[in-house]
Amino acid sequence: MGEYKIDKTDRKILQMLEDNARVSVKEIAEANFMSSPAVANRIRRMEANDLIRHYYSDIDYSAMGYVVKAFINLEVKPEDKSEFYPFIEKIPNVIQCDCVTGDYSMLIQAAYRRPEELDHLVNELQKFGRTKTEIAFSTPIEHRPIPVRLPSDLEEDQEND
């Protein structure tokens, strides 16, 4: 498919979904002065073009006992990545894995109930290269979305009110 161009209405829909993934199509339609089928079609088109890839629940993992949140830097040689990617994908406690620049090539975020479980993962990772692990004491800012709507969209909306 070609590059999907989003317009102001798409950004408003995306912002509403970003703020609350459970917002109803009817609510989005009313806020955008559109019909529900028109909104549903826009959402389907954005999904088909991978602009919307997933819908998530924001779960408090610490309330479920996952109190050890760690960030693991890992140095993986390029020739080992084809073995590493399937390995890391199978680890259910890995929240995210990013290829990064700097002294290490991977940054892995994981959550565990006990330090011993994290220790086991780090030991397994060391077969791919050297590691450096940091454990988070607290998280003053949780995952939050970046603004989807442009400042000019907001200014225009205020002028029209």
Side-chain angles (χ1 to χ4, degrees):
M1 281 185 206
E3 187 176 317
Y4 182 74
K5 302 263 193 248
I6 66 170
D7 61 17
K8 177 184 168 189
T9 302
D10 287 337
R11 286 194 301 272
K12 285 176 80 172
I13 292 169
L14 287 170
Q15 189 66 60
M16 290 184 76
L17 289 169
E18 187 80 273
D19 292 341
N20 176 8
R22 293 182 55 129
V23 66
S24 71
V25 170
K26 181 181 178 193
E27 288 176 83
I28 296 171
E30 287 172 0
N32 289 286
F33 306 103
M34 298 173 67
S35 70
S36 292
V39 168
N41 283 336
R42 280 181 177 259
I43 291 172
R44 274 193 297 276
R45 193 169 50 238
M46 287 187 278
E47 289 169 343
N49 284 279
D50 286 334
L51 188 59
I52 299 173
R53 296 183 305 188
H54 303 282
Y55 296 89
Y56 295 97
S57 296
D58 185 11
I59 297 169
D60 182 358
Y61 293 112
S62 66
M64 297 172 51
Y66 293 93
V67 294
V68 180
K69 181 171 30 170
F71 297 89
I72 306 159
N73 288 287
L74 173 65
E75 184 177 40
V76 178
K77 294 179 186 140
E79 59 269 18
D80 293 337
K81 287 183 179 181
S82 62
E83 182 185 348
F84 170 74
Y85 290 146
F87 169 83
I88 200 68
E89 199 168 299
K90 291 178 185 165
I91 309 294
N93 293 69
V94 168
I95 297 167
Q96 187 164 324
C97 178
D98 295 301
C99 291
V100 296
T101 63
D103 293 337
Y104 296 88
S105 56
M106 298 291 162
L107 177 61
I108 301 161
Q109 182 181 358
Y112 284 94
R113 294 175 187 267
R114 299 186 345 254
E116 298 83 10
E117 296 169 320
L118 172 60
D119 184 45
H120 177 74
L121 173 64
V122 171
N123 288 334
E124 290 285 315
L125 290 172
Q126 288 175 345
K127 72 181 178 185
F128 293 102
R130 71 184 174 105
T131 62
K132 181 177 114 183
T133 303
E134 298 169 355
I135 296 176
F137 290 133
S138 65
T139 306
I141 299 174
E142 282 286 338
H143 167 79
R144 64 178 176 194
I146 60 171
V148 175
R149 296 183 68 196
L150 301 174
S152 59
D153 294 338
L154 300 174
E155 290 170 9
E156 188 177 313
D157 286 349
Q158 289 173 349
E159 290 173 7
N160 292 334
D161 285 344

